[in-house]
């Protein structure tokens, strides 16, 4: 049961940056078709990226003989640091809503899922369940962010990213202490 709660917590934390960016994109008045397409691409990338992270992570652990809990703890805290940095350093970006633009956006917001995949085997042996949970959660958070973005204040995105970063820090520290 704790394993499932941990997977869900990580899925929500990984989806927070996607949610906050989607809130901003929601103000661009995307069509329902483009909103669903973007959400689907983000969901697919949140499945693929941890898979790539697992493959690379196994090779790194075998080569360097690194403790999985230590690696995961460091990675999660690093991701949280990146999220906090992005909150406080405001950079203007433009999004291209073509298929390539949406793919680029999806890869950008799923890099943290790749990093999580590096140490995912320390959390669970049920990798497919974890990746499906990441995928489905990010799909719904992206779609929800796009829909709410039409009506919400932009400051909500900052709070969502901050909360996601705090969740990753707590989980990262718990793995460092194992």
């Amino acid at each position: 049961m704790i394993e499932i709660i941990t997977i869900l917590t990580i899925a929500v934390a990984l989806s927070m940056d996607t949610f906050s960016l989607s809130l901003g994109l929601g103000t661009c008045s995307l069509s329902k078709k483009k909103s669903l397409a973007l959400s689907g691409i983000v969901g697919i990338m949140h499945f693929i990226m941890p898979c790539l992270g697992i493959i690379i992570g196994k090779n790194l652990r075998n080569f360097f003989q690194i403790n999985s809990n230590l690696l995961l703890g460091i990675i999660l805290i690093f991701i949280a640091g990146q999220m906090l940095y992005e909150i406080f350093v405001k950079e203007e970006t433009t999004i291209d809503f073509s298929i390539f633009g949406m793919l680029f956006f999806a890869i950008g917001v799923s890099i943290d899922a790749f990093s999580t995949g590096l140490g995912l085997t320390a959390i669970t042996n049920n990798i497919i369940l974890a990746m499906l949970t990441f995928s489905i959660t990010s799909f719904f958070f992206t779609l929800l962010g796009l829909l709410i973005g039409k009506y919400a204040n932009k400051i909500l995105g900052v709070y969502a990213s901050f909360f996601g970063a705090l969740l990753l820090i707590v989980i990262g520290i718990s793995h460092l202490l194992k």
Side-chain angles (χ1 to χ4, degrees):
M1 183 66 168
I2 292 175
E3 180 180 340
I4 292 171
I5 292 171
T6 302
I7 290 170
L8 284 172
T9 304
I10 291 172
V12 169
L14 290 175
S15 298
M16 286 298 182
D17 60 337
T18 305
F19 176 74
S20 63
L21 290 171
S22 296
L23 282 171
L25 289 180
T27 63
C28 297
S29 299
L30 286 175
S31 68
K32 288 181 183 180
K33 184 177 176 181
K34 287 228 184 224
S35 294
L36 284 171
L38 181 60
S39 300
I41 293 169
V42 168
I44 290 167
M45 291 309 296
H46 272 79
F47 185 90
I48 292 171
M49 293 301 262
C51 183
L52 293 174
I54 290 168
I55 293 166
I56 291 171
K58 281 183 182 179
N59 291 327
L60 285 176
R61 281 191 310 275
N62 290 338
F63 186 73
F64 291 111
Q65 299 299 318
I66 299 172
N67 177 325
S68 295
N69 282 314
L70 178 65
L71 179 64
L72 181 62
I74 291 168
I75 289 168
L76 291 177
I77 291 171
F78 177 75
I79 294 168
Q82 285 180 315
M83 290 173 70
L84 291 172
Y85 175 79
E86 290 173 8
I87 289 171
F88 296 111
V89 177
K90 308 266 189 250
E91 293 182 12
E92 289 294 317
T93 58
T94 58
I95 301 294
D96 173 16
F97 293 111
S98 69
I99 189 71
F100 294 112
M102 287 190 263
L103 184 61
F104 184 72
F105 173 81
I107 290 170
V109 297
S110 64
I111 291 294
D112 51 356
F114 170 82
S115 301
T116 302
L118 290 171
L120 191 58
T121 55
I123 297 171
T124 184
N125 291 325
N126 200 342
I127 302 300
I128 299 297
L129 174 66
M131 292 188 314
L132 283 172
T133 303
F134 298 164
S135 179
I136 292 167
T137 304
S138 65
F139 170 84
F140 283 113
F141 270 67
T142 304
L143 188 59
L144 184 64
L146 290 170
L147 295 174
I148 292 174
K150 292 180 182 179
Y151 310 106
N153 188 335
K154 289 184 179 183
I155 197 123
L156 182 61
V158 172
Y159 289 125
S161 289
F162 189 74
F163 180 70
L166 288 179
L167 282 174
L168 288 177
I169 288 171
V170 168
I171 294 169
I173 290 172
S174 74
H175 279 279
L176 287 176
L177 298 176
K178 283 186 178 182

